Amino acid sequence: MASEGTHLDPENWDDFGRDMHALLDHCLERMKNARDLPWRPKPEDMGSRMSLRAGTNGVGSERAMQHLVQDIMPFATGNTLQGSLAGFTARACLSRWGQSWSQQR
């Protein structure tokens, strides 16, 4: 069990919940508009700006979420298009259905 002062629990669960809901809304909006978003290379100094240093104090969930949305998500890599998620979901469902169907025959 963690001693007092060493846990990662938010100081205020209501504020944390509000911030997480706002982040989810932003993520959904980003996915909805993914086709219109330009690809952007990450800044050269991003690695040094993102590094964690020992003894660094936390910034709280609101600032952490702002940092994620403003400084990280615009440079996200990978395929975030809706079609990819839909395709993945469909393939996973069909694969499971196919296995189930072939076992019944």
Side-chain angles (χ1 to χ4, degrees):
M1 181 150 178
S3 62
E4 187 60 35
T6 61
H7 59 81
L8 295 175
D9 292 353
E11 290 181 17
N12 183 310
W13 281 102
D14 292 333
D15 289 348
F16 181 73
R18 182 202 64 229
D19 295 339
M20 292 303 292
H21 282 278
L23 177 61
L24 178 60
D25 289 343
H26 183 82
C27 290
L28 291 172
E29 192 66 26
R30 183 172 173 80
M31 284 179 66
K32 183 172 79 173
N33 297 310
R35 290 184 197 330
D36 301 326
L37 297 174
W39 179 83
R40 295 172 53 186
K42 68 179 180 65
E44 293 292 325
D45 66 341
M46 183 179 247
S48 62
R49 288 190 294 141
M50 301 296 153
S51 73
L52 298 175
R53 293 169 189 81
T56 303
N57 290 332
V59 295
S61 61
E62 182 178 17
R63 179 60 196 125
M65 300 307 162
Q66 288 173 350
H67 181 56
L68 178 64
V69 168
Q70 295 169 0
D71 301 329
I72 297 173
M73 289 177 71
F75 308 103
T77 60
N79 197 342
T80 60
L81 298 178
Q82 305 95 319
S84 298
L85 179 59
F88 171 80
T89 304
R91 285 190 300 276
C93 290
L94 289 174
S95 173
R96 300 248 358 218
W97 176 82
Q99 289 173 356
S100 174
W101 182 79
S102 66
Q103 290 172 354
Q104 292 175 0
R105 291 180 75 38

